[in-house]
Short mmCIF file of all heavy atoms in Angstrom, two decimals:
data_model
loop_
_atom_site.label_atom_id
_atom_site.label_comp_id
_atom_site.label_asym_id
_atom_site.label_seq_id
_atom_site.Cartn_x
_atom_site.Cartn_y
_atom_site.Cartn_z
N MET A 1 8.36 4.48 -2.23
CA MET A 1 7.39 3.55 -2.63
C MET A 1 7.87 2.03 -2.82
O MET A 1 7.24 1.06 -2.63
CB MET A 1 6.75 3.96 -4.03
CG MET A 1 5.63 3.16 -4.47
SD MET A 1 4.27 2.81 -3.35
CE MET A 1 3.89 4.41 -2.72
N ILE A 2 9.20 1.92 -3.29
CA ILE A 2 9.75 0.58 -3.46
C ILE A 2 9.73 -0.19 -2.04
O ILE A 2 9.41 -1.30 -2.09
CB ILE A 2 11.21 0.72 -4.04
CG1 ILE A 2 11.13 1.22 -5.48
CG2 ILE A 2 11.84 -0.63 -3.98
CD1 ILE A 2 12.46 1.55 -6.11
N GLU A 3 10.07 0.56 -1.04
CA GLU A 3 10.01 -0.14 0.32
C GLU A 3 8.64 -0.65 0.70
O GLU A 3 8.49 -1.72 1.31
CB GLU A 3 10.65 0.71 1.40
CG GLU A 3 12.07 0.97 1.27
CD GLU A 3 13.00 -0.25 1.39
OE1 GLU A 3 12.62 -1.10 2.18
OE2 GLU A 3 13.90 -0.42 0.51
N ILE A 4 7.62 0.13 0.36
CA ILE A 4 6.30 -0.34 0.73
C ILE A 4 5.85 -1.38 -0.07
O ILE A 4 5.30 -2.45 0.34
CB ILE A 4 5.30 0.97 0.52
CG1 ILE A 4 5.71 1.98 1.51
CG2 ILE A 4 3.89 0.45 0.63
CD1 ILE A 4 4.90 3.26 1.30
N VAL A 5 6.15 -1.51 -1.41
CA VAL A 5 5.84 -2.66 -2.32
C VAL A 5 6.57 -3.85 -1.83
O VAL A 5 6.05 -4.88 -1.87
CB VAL A 5 6.09 -2.23 -3.71
CG1 VAL A 5 5.92 -3.48 -4.56
CG2 VAL A 5 5.10 -1.13 -4.18
N LYS A 6 7.89 -3.64 -1.48
CA LYS A 6 8.70 -4.73 -0.94
C LYS A 6 8.01 -5.36 0.10
O LYS A 6 7.94 -6.64 0.48
CB LYS A 6 10.04 -4.32 -0.69
CG LYS A 6 11.06 -5.33 -0.31
CD LYS A 6 12.37 -4.87 0.13
CE LYS A 6 13.10 -4.12 -0.91
NZ LYS A 6 14.48 -3.69 -0.45
N LEU A 7 7.60 -4.58 1.23
CA LEU A 7 6.90 -5.00 2.45
C LEU A 7 5.66 -5.90 2.15
O LEU A 7 5.32 -7.00 2.62
CB LEU A 7 6.52 -3.89 3.37
CG LEU A 7 7.65 -3.36 4.22
CD1 LEU A 7 7.27 -2.05 4.88
CD2 LEU A 7 8.12 -4.33 5.10
N ILE A 8 4.80 -5.31 1.18
CA ILE A 8 3.58 -6.02 0.87
C ILE A 8 3.90 -7.32 0.17
O ILE A 8 3.27 -8.36 0.42
CB ILE A 8 2.67 -5.17 -0.12
CG1 ILE A 8 2.25 -3.86 0.70
CG2 ILE A 8 1.58 -5.97 -0.64
CD1 ILE A 8 1.53 -2.78 -0.16
N ARG A 9 4.90 -7.34 -0.74
CA ARG A 9 5.29 -8.55 -1.45
C ARG A 9 5.87 -9.54 -0.48
O ARG A 9 5.85 -10.78 -0.88
CB ARG A 9 6.20 -8.24 -2.67
CG ARG A 9 5.55 -7.58 -3.79
CD ARG A 9 6.41 -7.29 -4.90
NE ARG A 9 5.70 -6.50 -5.92
CZ ARG A 9 6.33 -6.26 -7.16
NH1 ARG A 9 7.53 -6.64 -7.33
NH2 ARG A 9 5.70 -5.67 -8.07
N THR A 10 6.49 -9.13 0.52
CA THR A 10 7.08 -9.99 1.64
C THR A 10 6.08 -10.68 2.35
O THR A 10 6.10 -11.90 2.56
CB THR A 10 8.11 -9.19 2.41
OG1 THR A 10 9.23 -8.73 1.55
CG2 THR A 10 8.77 -10.16 3.46
N PHE A 11 5.16 -9.79 2.99
CA PHE A 11 4.16 -10.32 3.94
C PHE A 11 3.01 -10.95 3.19
O PHE A 11 2.16 -11.66 3.88
CB PHE A 11 3.80 -9.26 4.88
CG PHE A 11 4.96 -8.94 5.78
CD1 PHE A 11 5.68 -7.84 5.69
CD2 PHE A 11 5.15 -9.85 6.95
CE1 PHE A 11 6.74 -7.56 6.60
CE2 PHE A 11 6.22 -9.49 7.81
CZ PHE A 11 6.98 -8.35 7.62
N LYS A 12 2.72 -10.59 1.90
CA LYS A 12 1.62 -11.12 1.19
C LYS A 12 0.26 -11.08 1.91
O LYS A 12 -0.45 -12.11 2.07
CB LYS A 12 1.89 -12.57 0.77
CG LYS A 12 3.09 -12.70 -0.12
CD LYS A 12 3.38 -14.13 -0.42
CE LYS A 12 4.49 -14.32 -1.51
NZ LYS A 12 5.73 -13.75 -1.37
N PRO A 13 -0.19 -9.92 2.26
CA PRO A 13 -1.52 -9.84 2.93
C PRO A 13 -2.69 -10.01 1.89
O PRO A 13 -2.49 -9.74 0.69
CB PRO A 13 -1.57 -8.35 3.48
CG PRO A 13 -0.74 -7.67 2.47
CD PRO A 13 0.45 -8.64 2.08
N THR A 14 -3.83 -10.47 2.38
CA THR A 14 -5.03 -10.62 1.49
C THR A 14 -5.74 -9.35 1.54
O THR A 14 -6.52 -9.00 0.56
CB THR A 14 -5.89 -11.74 2.05
OG1 THR A 14 -6.24 -11.53 3.36
CG2 THR A 14 -5.24 -13.11 1.84
N ALA A 15 -5.54 -8.43 2.49
CA ALA A 15 -6.22 -7.13 2.51
C ALA A 15 -5.34 -6.15 3.33
O ALA A 15 -4.49 -6.48 4.18
CB ALA A 15 -7.56 -7.24 3.33
N ILE A 16 -5.56 -4.95 3.01
CA ILE A 16 -4.75 -3.78 3.66
C ILE A 16 -5.89 -2.96 4.37
O ILE A 16 -6.78 -2.48 3.62
CB ILE A 16 -3.96 -3.01 2.72
CG1 ILE A 16 -2.85 -3.91 2.18
CG2 ILE A 16 -3.46 -1.75 3.35
CD1 ILE A 16 -2.12 -3.17 1.00
N ILE A 17 -5.69 -2.66 5.57
CA ILE A 17 -6.66 -1.78 6.23
C ILE A 17 -5.84 -0.52 6.80
O ILE A 17 -4.83 -0.75 7.60
CB ILE A 17 -7.41 -2.43 7.39
CG1 ILE A 17 -8.21 -3.62 6.80
CG2 ILE A 17 -8.26 -1.45 8.14
CD1 ILE A 17 -8.86 -4.49 7.84
N THR A 18 -6.15 0.67 6.40
CA THR A 18 -5.43 1.88 6.87
C THR A 18 -6.25 2.52 7.99
O THR A 18 -7.44 2.20 8.11
CB THR A 18 -5.24 2.84 5.86
OG1 THR A 18 -6.57 3.33 5.26
CG2 THR A 18 -4.51 2.27 4.64
N ARG A 19 -5.68 3.21 8.87
CA ARG A 19 -6.37 3.82 10.00
C ARG A 19 -7.14 5.00 9.46
O ARG A 19 -8.19 5.28 9.99
CB ARG A 19 -5.31 4.26 11.01
CG ARG A 19 -5.77 5.15 12.15
CD ARG A 19 -6.84 4.33 12.99
NE ARG A 19 -7.44 5.16 13.98
CZ ARG A 19 -8.70 5.72 13.87
NH1 ARG A 19 -9.44 5.61 12.78
NH2 ARG A 19 -9.08 6.34 14.94
N PHE A 20 -6.73 5.70 8.42
CA PHE A 20 -7.37 6.87 7.91
C PHE A 20 -7.76 6.76 6.55
O PHE A 20 -7.11 5.90 5.71
CB PHE A 20 -6.46 8.07 8.13
CG PHE A 20 -6.21 8.39 9.64
CD1 PHE A 20 -5.01 7.92 10.12
CD2 PHE A 20 -7.04 9.11 10.29
CE1 PHE A 20 -4.81 8.11 11.40
CE2 PHE A 20 -6.80 9.32 11.61
CZ PHE A 20 -5.64 8.88 12.24
N ASP A 21 -8.72 7.61 6.07
CA ASP A 21 -9.16 7.51 4.68
C ASP A 21 -8.21 8.38 3.91
O ASP A 21 -7.89 9.53 4.30
CB ASP A 21 -10.58 8.04 4.49
CG ASP A 21 -11.23 8.19 3.27
OD1 ASP A 21 -10.51 7.78 2.22
OD2 ASP A 21 -12.43 8.43 3.18
N HIS A 22 -7.84 7.92 2.79
CA HIS A 22 -6.92 8.81 1.87
C HIS A 22 -7.42 10.05 1.35
O HIS A 22 -6.79 10.88 0.83
CB HIS A 22 -6.41 7.89 0.84
CG HIS A 22 -7.41 7.54 -0.31
ND1 HIS A 22 -8.33 6.50 -0.10
CD2 HIS A 22 -7.64 8.08 -1.46
CE1 HIS A 22 -9.07 6.35 -1.06
NE2 HIS A 22 -8.77 7.28 -1.90
N ARG A 23 -8.76 10.20 1.45
CA ARG A 23 -9.40 11.35 0.94
C ARG A 23 -9.67 12.45 1.91
O ARG A 23 -10.47 13.41 1.80
CB ARG A 23 -10.86 11.01 0.34
CG ARG A 23 -10.63 10.01 -0.79
CD ARG A 23 -11.96 9.32 -1.14
NE ARG A 23 -12.32 8.51 0.00
CZ ARG A 23 -13.25 7.61 -0.10
NH1 ARG A 23 -14.00 7.45 -1.16
NH2 ARG A 23 -13.55 6.85 0.94
N THR A 24 -9.03 12.35 3.14
CA THR A 24 -9.35 13.23 4.21
C THR A 24 -8.30 14.41 4.28
O THR A 24 -8.12 14.93 5.35
CB THR A 24 -9.37 12.48 5.56
OG1 THR A 24 -8.07 11.83 5.75
CG2 THR A 24 -10.48 11.54 5.59
N SER A 25 -7.70 14.68 3.28
CA SER A 25 -6.75 15.84 3.29
C SER A 25 -7.31 17.09 3.98
O SER A 25 -8.36 17.49 3.58
CB SER A 25 -6.29 16.14 1.90
OG SER A 25 -5.25 17.22 1.90
N GLY A 26 -6.54 17.58 4.91
CA GLY A 26 -6.97 18.79 5.58
C GLY A 26 -7.94 18.48 6.76
O GLY A 26 -8.28 19.46 7.51
N LYS A 27 -8.40 17.28 6.97
CA LYS A 27 -9.27 16.93 8.04
C LYS A 27 -8.50 16.19 9.16
O LYS A 27 -9.08 16.05 10.25
CB LYS A 27 -10.49 16.11 7.57
CG LYS A 27 -11.34 16.81 6.59
CD LYS A 27 -12.51 15.93 6.12
CE LYS A 27 -13.32 16.67 4.98
NZ LYS A 27 -14.15 15.76 4.44
N THR A 28 -7.35 15.76 8.87
CA THR A 28 -6.42 14.99 9.84
C THR A 28 -5.14 15.70 9.76
O THR A 28 -4.86 16.57 8.92
CB THR A 28 -6.38 13.57 9.73
OG1 THR A 28 -5.71 13.34 8.40
CG2 THR A 28 -7.76 12.93 9.57
N HIS A 29 -4.20 15.20 10.59
CA HIS A 29 -2.74 15.63 10.40
C HIS A 29 -2.26 15.04 9.14
O HIS A 29 -2.63 14.07 8.63
CB HIS A 29 -1.92 15.02 11.55
CG HIS A 29 -2.37 15.49 13.01
ND1 HIS A 29 -2.14 16.74 13.41
CD2 HIS A 29 -3.00 14.85 13.87
CE1 HIS A 29 -2.62 16.83 14.60
NE2 HIS A 29 -3.18 15.75 14.98
N GLY A 30 -1.46 15.89 8.47
CA GLY A 30 -1.01 15.46 7.09
C GLY A 30 -0.35 14.12 7.04
O GLY A 30 -0.54 13.38 6.07
N HIS A 31 0.34 13.73 8.08
CA HIS A 31 0.99 12.42 8.00
C HIS A 31 0.08 11.25 8.05
O HIS A 31 0.33 10.17 7.55
CB HIS A 31 2.10 12.28 9.10
CG HIS A 31 1.58 12.45 10.48
ND1 HIS A 31 1.35 13.56 10.95
CD2 HIS A 31 1.43 11.50 11.42
CE1 HIS A 31 0.92 13.49 12.24
NE2 HIS A 31 0.95 12.17 12.54
N HIS A 32 -1.14 11.56 8.66
CA HIS A 32 -2.14 10.46 8.64
C HIS A 32 -2.73 10.24 7.14
O HIS A 32 -2.78 9.12 6.74
CB HIS A 32 -3.30 10.83 9.54
CG HIS A 32 -2.95 10.93 10.96
ND1 HIS A 32 -3.62 11.60 11.88
CD2 HIS A 32 -1.99 10.38 11.70
CE1 HIS A 32 -3.13 11.63 13.02
NE2 HIS A 32 -2.14 10.79 12.97
N THR A 33 -3.07 11.29 6.62
CA THR A 33 -3.44 11.26 5.16
C THR A 33 -2.34 10.71 4.26
O THR A 33 -2.67 9.75 3.45
CB THR A 33 -3.82 12.60 4.67
OG1 THR A 33 -4.87 13.25 5.52
CG2 THR A 33 -4.36 12.61 3.20
N ALA A 34 -1.18 11.05 4.48
CA ALA A 34 -0.01 10.51 3.70
C ALA A 34 0.11 9.10 3.79
O ALA A 34 0.45 8.39 2.80
CB ALA A 34 1.27 11.27 4.06
N SER A 35 0.09 8.53 4.91
CA SER A 35 0.16 7.02 5.22
C SER A 35 -0.91 6.31 4.43
O SER A 35 -0.69 5.29 3.90
CB SER A 35 0.03 6.72 6.73
OG SER A 35 -1.20 6.96 7.25
N ALA A 36 -2.17 6.88 4.43
CA ALA A 36 -3.19 6.23 3.56
C ALA A 36 -2.96 6.30 2.17
O ALA A 36 -3.25 5.33 1.42
CB ALA A 36 -4.61 6.90 4.08
N ILE A 37 -2.45 7.46 1.69
CA ILE A 37 -2.19 7.57 0.26
C ILE A 37 -1.00 6.58 -0.14
O ILE A 37 -1.20 5.96 -1.20
CB ILE A 37 -1.75 8.98 -0.04
CG1 ILE A 37 -2.97 9.91 0.08
CG2 ILE A 37 -1.23 9.16 -1.44
CD1 ILE A 37 -2.62 11.43 -0.05
N LEU A 38 0.03 6.45 0.71
CA LEU A 38 1.07 5.54 0.47
C LEU A 38 0.60 4.09 0.33
O LEU A 38 0.96 3.32 -0.47
CB LEU A 38 2.20 5.68 1.38
CG LEU A 38 3.07 6.97 1.27
CD1 LEU A 38 3.80 7.12 2.47
CD2 LEU A 38 3.81 7.00 -0.07
N ALA A 39 -0.37 3.80 1.36
CA ALA A 39 -0.89 2.38 1.40
C ALA A 39 -1.68 2.13 0.06
O ALA A 39 -1.55 1.01 -0.56
CB ALA A 39 -1.82 2.18 2.65
N LEU A 40 -2.48 3.02 -0.46
CA LEU A 40 -3.28 2.87 -1.58
C LEU A 40 -2.31 2.69 -2.84
O LEU A 40 -2.50 1.87 -3.72
CB LEU A 40 -4.16 4.17 -1.86
CG LEU A 40 -5.07 4.08 -3.07
CD1 LEU A 40 -6.06 2.86 -2.93
CD2 LEU A 40 -5.89 5.37 -3.13
N GLU A 41 -1.32 3.56 -2.89
CA GLU A 41 -0.38 3.43 -4.01
C GLU A 41 0.40 2.12 -3.93
O GLU A 41 0.53 1.49 -4.92
CB GLU A 41 0.75 4.59 -3.83
CG GLU A 41 0.86 5.38 -5.23
CD GLU A 41 1.90 6.41 -5.11
OE1 GLU A 41 1.71 7.44 -4.38
OE2 GLU A 41 3.02 6.27 -5.75
N GLY A 42 0.70 1.66 -2.86
CA GLY A 42 1.44 0.38 -2.64
C GLY A 42 0.45 -0.79 -3.08
O GLY A 42 0.85 -1.72 -3.77
N PHE A 43 -0.76 -0.58 -2.64
CA PHE A 43 -1.82 -1.63 -3.08
C PHE A 43 -1.94 -1.79 -4.65
O PHE A 43 -1.93 -2.88 -5.13
CB PHE A 43 -3.10 -1.13 -2.54
CG PHE A 43 -4.28 -1.92 -2.99
CD1 PHE A 43 -4.70 -3.23 -2.63
CD2 PHE A 43 -5.20 -1.32 -3.92
CE1 PHE A 43 -5.78 -3.87 -3.15
CE2 PHE A 43 -6.33 -1.97 -4.48
CZ PHE A 43 -6.50 -3.27 -4.00
N THR A 44 -1.81 -0.71 -5.34
CA THR A 44 -1.96 -0.71 -6.73
C THR A 44 -0.64 -1.10 -7.47
O THR A 44 -0.72 -1.82 -8.54
CB THR A 44 -2.42 0.65 -7.35
OG1 THR A 44 -1.48 1.59 -6.99
CG2 THR A 44 -3.83 1.02 -6.85
N LYS A 45 0.44 -0.74 -6.85
CA LYS A 45 1.71 -1.08 -7.54
C LYS A 45 2.23 -2.53 -7.19
O LYS A 45 3.08 -3.10 -7.92
CB LYS A 45 2.81 -0.01 -7.20
CG LYS A 45 2.38 1.15 -7.82
CD LYS A 45 3.48 2.24 -7.59
CE LYS A 45 2.95 3.62 -8.05
NZ LYS A 45 3.73 4.45 -8.73
N THR A 46 1.81 -3.11 -6.17
CA THR A 46 2.44 -4.39 -5.70
C THR A 46 2.08 -5.59 -6.68
O THR A 46 2.91 -6.56 -6.88
CB THR A 46 2.03 -4.79 -4.29
OG1 THR A 46 2.86 -5.71 -3.80
CG2 THR A 46 0.65 -5.25 -4.17
N SER A 47 1.07 -5.42 -7.45
CA SER A 47 0.70 -6.46 -8.43
C SER A 47 1.29 -6.24 -9.83
O SER A 47 1.28 -7.09 -10.77
CB SER A 47 -0.82 -6.68 -8.59
OG SER A 47 -1.34 -5.42 -9.04
N ASN A 48 1.95 -5.02 -10.02
CA ASN A 48 2.43 -4.72 -11.28
C ASN A 48 3.92 -5.22 -11.39
O ASN A 48 4.84 -4.69 -10.83
CB ASN A 48 2.47 -3.16 -11.40
CG ASN A 48 3.02 -2.67 -12.78
OD1 ASN A 48 3.44 -3.48 -13.52
ND2 ASN A 48 2.87 -1.50 -13.02
N PRO A 49 4.12 -6.25 -12.29
CA PRO A 49 5.41 -6.77 -12.52
C PRO A 49 6.39 -5.80 -13.09
O PRO A 49 7.70 -5.98 -13.02
CB PRO A 49 5.27 -8.02 -13.33
CG PRO A 49 3.93 -7.67 -14.11
CD PRO A 49 3.12 -6.82 -13.13
N ASN A 50 5.91 -4.77 -13.69
CA ASN A 50 6.82 -3.75 -14.36
C ASN A 50 7.16 -2.61 -13.34
O ASN A 50 7.91 -1.69 -13.77
CB ASN A 50 6.08 -3.12 -15.53
CG ASN A 50 5.85 -4.25 -16.63
OD1 ASN A 50 6.72 -4.97 -16.88
ND2 ASN A 50 4.65 -4.20 -17.22
N PHE A 51 6.69 -2.58 -12.23
CA PHE A 51 7.10 -1.51 -11.26
C PHE A 51 8.41 -1.97 -10.62
O PHE A 51 8.53 -3.05 -9.95
CB PHE A 51 6.03 -1.41 -10.12
CG PHE A 51 6.49 -0.44 -9.01
CD1 PHE A 51 6.51 0.92 -9.32
CD2 PHE A 51 6.90 -0.90 -7.89
CE1 PHE A 51 6.90 1.85 -8.35
CE2 PHE A 51 7.38 0.09 -6.85
CZ PHE A 51 7.43 1.41 -7.09
N ALA A 52 9.38 -1.08 -10.76
CA ALA A 52 10.79 -1.35 -10.32
C ALA A 52 11.25 -2.72 -10.43
O ALA A 52 11.63 -3.38 -9.53
CB ALA A 52 10.80 -0.89 -8.90
N PRO A 53 11.22 -3.31 -11.71
CA PRO A 53 11.66 -4.67 -11.91
C PRO A 53 13.11 -4.97 -11.45
O PRO A 53 13.36 -6.10 -10.86
CB PRO A 53 11.52 -4.79 -13.34
CG PRO A 53 11.60 -3.48 -14.01
CD PRO A 53 11.03 -2.54 -12.92
N THR A 54 13.99 -4.12 -11.55
CA THR A 54 15.40 -4.44 -11.20
C THR A 54 15.50 -4.48 -9.57
O THR A 54 15.98 -5.31 -9.06
CB THR A 54 16.37 -3.40 -11.70
OG1 THR A 54 16.25 -3.32 -13.08
CG2 THR A 54 17.73 -3.70 -11.40
N GLU A 55 14.92 -3.34 -8.98
CA GLU A 55 15.06 -3.37 -7.52
C GLU A 55 14.26 -4.29 -6.85
O GLU A 55 14.49 -4.72 -5.76
CB GLU A 55 14.51 -1.88 -7.02
CG GLU A 55 15.37 -0.84 -7.54
CD GLU A 55 14.89 -0.25 -8.97
OE1 GLU A 55 14.21 -0.91 -9.61
OE2 GLU A 55 15.39 0.90 -9.21
N LEU A 56 13.23 -4.85 -7.38
CA LEU A 56 12.34 -5.72 -6.73
C LEU A 56 12.29 -7.15 -7.42
O LEU A 56 11.43 -7.93 -7.23
CB LEU A 56 10.78 -5.23 -6.83
CG LEU A 56 10.62 -3.90 -6.01
CD1 LEU A 56 9.22 -3.50 -6.31
CD2 LEU A 56 10.79 -4.22 -4.49
N SER A 57 13.48 -7.44 -8.00
CA SER A 57 13.63 -8.70 -8.81
C SER A 57 13.44 -9.88 -7.77
O SER A 57 13.04 -10.99 -8.34
CB SER A 57 14.88 -8.84 -9.50
OG SER A 57 15.95 -8.69 -8.56
N LYS A 58 13.78 -9.82 -6.53
CA LYS A 58 13.63 -11.00 -5.66
C LYS A 58 12.26 -11.14 -5.03
O LYS A 58 12.10 -11.97 -4.17
CB LYS A 58 14.69 -10.77 -4.46
CG LYS A 58 16.04 -10.83 -5.00
CD LYS A 58 17.08 -10.66 -3.89
CE LYS A 58 18.50 -10.69 -4.39
NZ LYS A 58 19.41 -10.33 -3.29
N PHE A 59 11.42 -10.15 -5.37
CA PHE A 59 10.06 -10.23 -4.76
C PHE A 59 9.00 -10.25 -5.84
O PHE A 59 8.78 -9.28 -6.54
CB PHE A 59 9.85 -8.82 -3.92
CG PHE A 59 10.83 -8.69 -2.86
CD1 PHE A 59 12.04 -7.94 -3.17
CD2 PHE A 59 10.73 -9.19 -1.65
CE1 PHE A 59 13.07 -7.76 -2.11
CE2 PHE A 59 11.74 -9.06 -0.61
CZ PHE A 59 12.80 -8.27 -0.93
N LYS A 60 8.35 -11.41 -5.89
CA LYS A 60 7.33 -11.58 -6.91
C LYS A 60 6.09 -10.77 -6.73
O LYS A 60 5.67 -10.51 -5.53
CB LYS A 60 6.94 -13.08 -6.90
CG LYS A 60 8.04 -14.02 -7.36
CD LYS A 60 7.64 -15.44 -7.47
CE LYS A 60 8.70 -16.26 -7.78
NZ LYS A 60 8.32 -17.81 -7.85
N PRO A 61 5.44 -10.31 -7.80
CA PRO A 61 4.23 -9.48 -7.65
C PRO A 61 3.15 -10.23 -6.92
O PRO A 61 3.13 -11.45 -6.87
CB PRO A 61 3.82 -9.28 -9.17
CG PRO A 61 5.05 -9.40 -9.91
CD PRO A 61 5.90 -10.39 -9.16
N TRP A 62 2.44 -9.47 -6.06
CA TRP A 62 1.37 -10.08 -5.27
C TRP A 62 0.07 -9.34 -5.46
O TRP A 62 0.15 -8.03 -5.49
CB TRP A 62 1.81 -9.93 -3.84
CG TRP A 62 0.86 -10.46 -2.81
CD1 TRP A 62 0.05 -9.76 -2.01
CD2 TRP A 62 0.60 -11.83 -2.62
NE1 TRP A 62 -0.80 -10.50 -1.31
CE2 TRP A 62 -0.48 -11.87 -1.59
CE3 TRP A 62 0.92 -12.98 -3.13
CZ2 TRP A 62 -1.04 -12.96 -1.07
CZ3 TRP A 62 0.32 -14.21 -2.66
CH2 TRP A 62 -0.69 -14.12 -1.74
N VAL A 63 -0.98 -10.03 -5.54
CA VAL A 63 -2.30 -9.36 -5.72
C VAL A 63 -2.94 -9.28 -4.24
O VAL A 63 -3.41 -10.33 -3.85
CB VAL A 63 -3.25 -10.08 -6.68
CG1 VAL A 63 -4.56 -9.42 -6.82
CG2 VAL A 63 -2.50 -10.06 -8.01
N VAL A 64 -3.13 -8.08 -3.79
CA VAL A 64 -3.97 -7.99 -2.52
C VAL A 64 -5.39 -7.81 -2.98
O VAL A 64 -5.82 -7.13 -3.91
CB VAL A 64 -3.49 -6.70 -1.79
CG1 VAL A 64 -4.27 -6.42 -0.42
CG2 VAL A 64 -2.01 -6.68 -1.58
N GLU A 65 -6.33 -8.50 -2.21
CA GLU A 65 -7.69 -8.74 -2.61
C GLU A 65 -8.47 -7.30 -2.42
O GLU A 65 -9.36 -7.14 -3.17
CB GLU A 65 -8.38 -9.84 -1.87
CG GLU A 65 -7.79 -11.07 -2.39
CD GLU A 65 -8.48 -12.31 -1.55
OE1 GLU A 65 -9.49 -12.13 -0.98
OE2 GLU A 65 -7.81 -13.37 -1.59
N GLY A 66 -8.06 -6.57 -1.40
CA GLY A 66 -8.75 -5.30 -1.24
C GLY A 66 -8.10 -4.42 -0.21
O GLY A 66 -7.17 -4.82 0.44
N ILE A 67 -8.54 -3.11 -0.28
CA ILE A 67 -7.99 -2.13 0.67
C ILE A 67 -9.15 -1.33 1.17
O ILE A 67 -10.13 -1.12 0.48
CB ILE A 67 -6.99 -1.29 0.00
CG1 ILE A 67 -6.26 -0.22 1.01
CG2 ILE A 67 -7.56 -0.50 -1.26
CD1 ILE A 67 -5.17 0.40 0.45
N ASP A 68 -9.12 -0.97 2.50
CA ASP A 68 -10.15 -0.28 3.17
C ASP A 68 -9.50 0.54 4.17
O ASP A 68 -8.38 0.41 4.54
CB ASP A 68 -11.25 -1.26 3.72
CG ASP A 68 -12.67 -0.43 3.79
OD1 ASP A 68 -12.69 0.64 3.55
OD2 ASP A 68 -13.55 -1.25 4.07
N TYR A 69 -10.29 1.41 4.88
CA TYR A 69 -9.81 2.09 6.00
C TYR A 69 -10.76 1.95 7.24
O TYR A 69 -11.98 1.53 7.11
CB TYR A 69 -9.72 3.62 5.61
CG TYR A 69 -10.95 4.29 5.46
CD1 TYR A 69 -11.63 5.01 6.40
CD2 TYR A 69 -11.58 4.24 4.08
CE1 TYR A 69 -12.87 5.76 6.13
CE2 TYR A 69 -12.82 4.92 3.90
CZ TYR A 69 -13.39 5.59 4.95
OH TYR A 69 -14.63 6.30 4.64
N ASN A 70 -10.27 2.16 8.46
CA ASN A 70 -10.90 1.99 9.67
C ASN A 70 -12.00 3.15 9.78
O ASN A 70 -11.58 4.33 9.76
CB ASN A 70 -9.95 2.08 10.86
CG ASN A 70 -10.73 1.85 12.21
OD1 ASN A 70 -11.79 1.83 12.32
ND2 ASN A 70 -9.76 1.80 13.12
N LYS A 71 -13.20 2.81 9.65
CA LYS A 71 -14.33 3.74 9.67
C LYS A 71 -14.74 4.23 11.05
O LYS A 71 -15.68 5.07 11.12
CB LYS A 71 -15.54 3.21 8.90
CG LYS A 71 -15.09 3.10 7.36
CD LYS A 71 -16.25 2.32 6.56
CE LYS A 71 -15.93 2.13 5.21
NZ LYS A 71 -15.00 1.08 4.85
N SER A 72 -14.22 3.72 12.00
CA SER A 72 -14.59 4.15 13.39
C SER A 72 -13.90 5.31 14.05
O SER A 72 -12.93 5.68 13.54
CB SER A 72 -14.58 2.93 14.40
OG SER A 72 -13.31 2.46 14.50
#
């Protein structure tokens, strides 16, 4: 999770769009659902200054405005 938060804090996106919905467990390949779950977790943790403060000391917290998934 630290690597995902590091990426988000480095690139500073205003939005995250995943290919799959994180609630589709059992309806897609497991790694598809897992990638969406990791994106959602990264979205919530990247703005938290208390998440891995030592490991991420060089990366300031960042607030992503929204997260969604590709609905097509």
Side-chain angles (χ1 to χ4, degrees):
M1 183 50 52
I2 291 173
E3 290 298 319
I4 293 170
V5 171
K6 187 186 298 184
L7 282 170
I8 295 170
R9 289 181 181 183
T10 298
F11 289 102
K12 297 178 172 51
T14 56
I16 296 173
I17 301 173
T18 65
R19 174 62 184 99
F20 297 93
D21 184 351
H22 66 281
R23 300 165 293 192
T24 58
S25 181
K27 296 178 185 172
T28 67
H29 298 287
H31 59 283
H32 293 161
T33 304
S35 67
I37 291 169
L38 289 169
L40 181 62
E41 231 182 291
F43 168 77
T44 60
K45 291 183 187 224
T46 197
S47 62
N48 182 352
N50 297 317
F51 175 73
T54 305
E55 297 87 342
L56 296 170
S57 62
K58 296 180 183 178
F59 304 91
K60 293 182 180 178
W62 177 253
V63 177
V64 180
E65 293 176 21
I67 185 167
D68 206 353
Y69 66 96
N70 183 351
K71 294 174 179 79
S72 61

